[in-house]
C-alpha cells in the first residue's frame, strides 16, 4: 500500500485499530513506564495517533511520532493538538524512514514499531534498524509487533479471509481482508451498511508482508538483540543490557 492509498483508507483506519492497541498496552507499559520526562521515545509509523495516545498514557517521556502519509499525519497532529498533555510532549515528524529521521534527537531511549513493519521491504527495515541501533542510548529498548507467515490459504483471489465489524450511529462498518494469492500484497474492502442496505464500499490493495520475529532478528545490526516476549510482540535492546533511565524517571 502506498502512502497515497491512505487518503481513502484513513476514514476507516481508526475503527479497526483501537482493539489492537489496547491488547498491546500492557507491553507498552512494561517497556516504557520507567522512562522519565527527559527521555525520548520515537514512534515509527505513528499513523493517526491511536498508538501515540497509548504510548503517552504509559510513559512520561517525550515522544517523536514519525508518519509519512499526509492524511494520517493530519489526523495525528489534530489529535495531539486537542489534548494538552499530548501537545506538551509529542512532536509530529513528517517523512519516511530512515531517510527523514533528521528531526529526531541524536540520542533516543526507546522506540516503537507497531503494526507497520509489513509496509517496509527488507532493505528499508535494515536501514531503519541500523539508524535506531546507532541512536539508541545504552540500555535503551524498542518494542515491535510481528506476525507469523501464514500458509497460502485455499481459494480464489478476492475470497474473504477475515471480517471485522464496528457500529457507529445508524451505520455498520465492515472490514473485509481478502486473499490476493500474491506474496507481499494485501487487499481489503471496507463497506458501510445501514441495516441490510449497502451504502458504499471502498477497496484497497498495496504492499504488506508478514514480518516474523526471525525476520526482525535477521535485520538487526550487531548492537541490537531481539527478545520475544509474547505472541506477535518482541523487545529490542541495546546489548549492554542496562535499563535506560533519566534522573527524573518514574518511580
Amino acid at each position: 500500500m502506498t502512502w497515497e492509498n491512505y487518503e481513502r483508507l484513513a476514514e476507516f483506519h481508526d475503527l479497526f485499530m483501537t482493539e489492537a492497541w489496547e491488547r498491546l498496552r500492557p507491553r507498552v507499559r512494561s517497556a516504557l513506564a520507567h522512562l522519565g520526562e527527559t527521555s525520548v521515545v520515537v514512534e515509527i509509523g505513528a499513523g493517526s495517533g491511536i498508538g501515540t495516545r497509548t504510548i503517552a498514557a504509559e510513559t512520561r517521556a517525550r515522544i517523536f511520532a514519525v508518519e509519512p502519509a499526509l492524511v494520517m499525519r493530519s489526523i495525528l497532529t489534530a489529535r495531539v493538538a486537542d489534548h494538552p498533555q499530548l501537545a506538551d510532549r509529542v512532536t509530529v515528524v513528517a517523512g519516511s524512514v530512515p531517510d527523514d529521521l533528521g528531526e529526531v534527537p541524536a540520542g533516543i531511549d526507546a522506540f516503537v514499531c507497531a503494526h507497520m513493519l509489513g509496509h517496509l521491504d527488507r532493505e528499508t527495515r535494515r536501514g531503519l534498524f541500523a539508524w535506531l541501533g546507532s541512536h539508541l542510548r545504552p540500555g535503551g529498548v524498542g518494542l515491535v509487533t510481528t506476525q507469523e507467515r501464514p500458509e497460502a490459504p485455499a481459494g480464489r483471489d478476492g475470497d474473504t479471509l477475515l471480517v471485522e465489524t464496528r457500529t457507529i450511529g445508524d451505520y455498520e462498518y465492515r472490514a473485509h481482508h481478502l486473499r490476493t494469492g500474491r506474496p507481499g500484497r494485501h487487499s481489503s474492502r471496507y463497506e458501510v451498511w445501514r441495516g441490510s442496505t449497502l451504502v458504499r464500499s471502498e477497496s484497497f490493495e498495496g504492499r504488506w508482508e508478514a514480518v516474523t520475529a526471525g525476520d526482525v532478528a535477521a535485520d538487526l545490526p550487531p548492537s541490537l538483540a531481539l527478545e520475544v516476549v509474547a505472541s506477535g510482540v518482541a523487545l529490542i535492546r541495546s546489548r549492554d543490557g542496562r535499563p535506560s533511565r533519566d534522573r527524573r524517571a518514574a518511580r
Side-chain angles (χ1 to χ4, degrees):
M1 180 178 296
T2 64
W3 306 128
E4 290 79 9
N5 287 133
Y6 277 109
E7 291 185 8
R8 291 160 54 225
L9 173 62
E11 174 186 2
F12 307 103
H13 178 270
D14 282 21
L15 302 182
F16 302 102
M17 287 302 298
T18 302
E19 288 187 10
W21 272 102
E22 284 304 310
R23 290 193 298 269
L24 193 59
R25 182 184 293 274
R27 298 296 175 181
V28 173
R29 181 185 307 124
S30 177
L32 306 182
H34 67 281
L35 297 175
E37 61 190 39
T38 63
S39 298
V40 173
V41 176
V42 179
E43 182 189 9
I44 304 296
S48 61
I50 294 178
T52 312
R53 182 175 58 192
T54 303
I55 294 166
E58 303 301 339
T59 181
R60 296 167 59 201
R62 298 162 58 210
I63 300 167
F64 285 76
V66 182
E67 173 54 41
L70 175 59
V71 65
M72 301 297 276
R73 195 169 63 247
S74 299
I75 301 169
L76 166 63
T77 302
R79 179 167 270 151
V80 169
D82 281 347
H83 195 304
Q85 292 181 345
L86 294 182
D88 286 344
R89 292 194 288 134
V90 177
T91 299
V92 177
V93 178
S96 299
V97 295
D99 296 338
D100 297 317
L101 291 172
E103 293 299 312
V104 175
I108 65 174
D109 300 282
F111 62 87
V112 177
C113 300
H115 314 300
M116 52 72 60
L117 289 175
H119 286 305
L120 308 181
D121 60 32
R122 169 156 285 186
E123 180 180 357
T124 304
R125 292 198 310 268
R126 289 185 170 181
L128 169 62
F129 288 128
W131 188 95
L132 292 168
S134 66
H135 289 75
L136 191 65
R137 291 186 176 121
V141 63
L143 184 149
V144 300
T145 58
T146 62
Q147 302 84 40
E148 295 299 321
R149 189 168 290 112
E151 296 182 4
R156 301 170 300 173
D157 284 5
D159 286 351
T160 296
L161 300 179
L162 175 66
V163 179
E164 301 175 86
T165 64
R166 179 83 182 269
T167 299
I168 299 177
D170 290 344
Y171 290 157
E172 181 184 68
Y173 294 79
R174 301 178 187 177
H176 298 255
H177 303 286
L178 308 175
R179 181 182 185 274
T180 66
R182 298 184 297 282
R185 304 296 293 177
H186 174 267
S187 181
S188 58
R189 184 177 70 252
Y190 293 88
E191 299 173 345
V192 183
W193 290 79
R194 184 198 292 268
S196 60
T197 301
L198 176 63
V199 177
R200 58 192 174 89
S201 67
E202 296 279 0
S203 296
F204 309 91
E205 182 174 331
R207 188 188 187 286
W208 178 271
E209 63 177 320
V211 177
T212 68
D215 293 331
V216 174
D219 292 338
L220 296 181
S223 60
L224 299 179
L226 185 82
E227 175 192 359
V228 175
V229 294
S231 177
V233 185
L235 298 180
I236 296 173
R237 299 186 185 277
S238 58
R239 287 190 179 274
D240 77 348
R242 292 182 290 108
S244 177
R245 293 178 179 266
D246 66 29
R247 56 192 174 87
R248 288 177 288 182
R251 299 182 186 278

